[in-house]
Amino acid sequence: MRVFEVTAPVTKKDGSTVVETQFVYAEEAPCEGAQERTRMPVPDEVWNGTDWEVPLATLKERAIDRVAALKFEHENGGMVTPWGTAQSDLDSRGKITGIVTGAMAAQALGQPFSVNFTMADNSVVPLDATQAMQFGLTVMAGVSSVHDTATALKNAIDAATTAEELAAIDIEGGWSA
């Protein structure tokens, strides 16, 4: 069986005419003007004159969506620190910000500071003011690195002018945490 694209004008109830396209399997062209195609299209594909292909803009959109998903995964999947892996979801980052703020306030006021922080593996680490600030900076640096990776990938995706250039971009690798 071969695949043919058949287009025909269709008159709508309101009297307007539209062109409808159907794809049919047949041994021979089912009517005059039927165009043989290499296969049936899948969603998002368009005919380029010789074959079906997904437009570059659609491929770029899919790639950027994947980058966004990976960015979310890496931002929220934990950050490695000298004390172990810290949870890095939005709620945890807010708690870390609070600890750093407390450490800075205690230092500014000449007050002692100590906090026990629960890590991703449920271990508890004691942090003094200097350690708490370094801990916060380490987590922030990890989040910033993830953001920078996502930005670089999005820029590379935007710059791609062919599907081949786009496919050569390693979206899955190069992430740090």
Side-chain angles (χ1 to χ4, degrees), residues 82-148:
W83 298 272
T85 300
Q87 293 174 335
S88 61
D89 57 273
L90 190 57
D91 186 52
S92 296
R93 291 194 312 262
K95 290 174 184 173
I96 293 166
T97 300
I99 289 169
V100 171
T101 302
M104 291 170 62
Q107 268 197 343
L109 296 171
Q111 300 289 322
F113 181 87
S114 178
V115 66
N116 291 322
F117 190 81
T118 303
M119 303 300 282
D121 66 358
N122 285 324
S123 63
V124 177
V125 296
L127 302 170
D128 63 23
T130 301
Q131 291 170 327
M133 288 184 282
Q134 183 60 46
F135 180 77
L137 286 172
T138 302
V139 171
M140 184 190 148
V143 171
S144 182
S145 175
V146 168
H147 176 77
D148 292 347

Side-chain angles (χ1 to χ4, degrees), residues 61-79 88 93 142-143 145-151 153-154 157 169-177:
E61 183 179 301
R62 290 177 185 170
I64 287 175
D65 287 348
R66 181 64 183 143
V67 168
L70 286 167
K71 178 179 182 262
F72 181 84
E73 179 183 316
H74 287 280
E75 272 182 344
N76 294 285
M79 295 291 162
S88 61
R93 291 194 312 262
V143 171
S145 175
V146 168
H147 176 77
D148 292 347
T149 299
T151 299
L153 287 169
K154 287 177 185 178
I157 291 165
I169 298 168
D170 183 8
I171 292 172
E172 303 293 325
W175 297 89
S176 62

